[in-house]
Amino acid sequence: MFDRNVNRRFFDAGGGGNALLYQHLFWFFGHPEVYILILPAFGIVSHATVIVSGKDDVDRYLGIVYRVLRIGLIGCVVWAHHIYVTGIDADSRAYFTAATIVIAIPTGIKVYTWLLTTSETDLKPNPVLR
């Protein structure tokens, strides 16, 4: 807004600004929504897994809840894994690489929990889908 309306140069490198600042601001505010938007889909898959397996509840239910909360929280601090090639310093790249790996761990465990829920059961198709 300042760049356009007040003729400032926060993001224009030619005017002494930093274009990388715009990318950080964009991803800092836009990236957590990606992880927040996927949470309902995780819930749908959990419920579908329970229905197909015929069990009363997903195995390790409390673990699923904590993993989903962890994904939502970590999603707020991994915004820069989209801008690895923009010239951020090595320490920042190392942090965002580690945070990206850390957010993948609860997601992978959640998928294995869904598979655990469907194991040792006779999978039955949903009669509504026939």
Side-chain angles (χ1 to χ4, degrees), residues 92-105:
S92 297
R93 277 196 311 266
Y95 165 75
F96 288 111
T97 300
T100 302
I101 292 169
V102 167
I103 203 168
I105 292 170

Side-chain angles (χ1 to χ4, degrees), residues 19-119:
L20 188 58
L21 177 63
Y22 175 76
Q23 290 182 349
H24 276 292
L25 289 174
F26 174 79
W27 283 113
F28 179 75
F29 290 112
H31 192 269
E33 72 189 38
V34 173
Y35 291 98
I36 301 303
L37 289 173
I38 195 69
L39 296 180
F42 289 157
I44 291 169
V45 171
S46 292
H47 284 290
T49 303
V50 170
I51 290 169
V52 169
S53 69
K55 293 185 176 180
D56 293 332
D57 205 359
V58 68
D59 287 339
R60 318 259 190 311
Y61 174 78
L62 194 58
I64 288 275
V65 171
Y66 285 136
R67 286 182 197 102
V68 167
L69 290 173
R70 226 175 275 146
I71 289 167
L73 290 173
I74 298 170
C76 294
V77 295
V78 296
W79 74 89
H81 69 208
H82 291 280
I83 56 176
Y84 282 136
V85 296
T86 58
I88 58 177
D89 61 303
D91 291 338
S92 297
R93 277 196 311 266
Y95 165 75
F96 288 111
T97 300
T100 302
I101 292 169
V102 167
I103 203 168
I105 292 170
T107 305
I109 294 172
K110 194 165 29 51
V111 170
Y112 284 118
T113 304
W114 291 333
L115 293 173
L116 177 68
T117 302
T118 60
S119 68

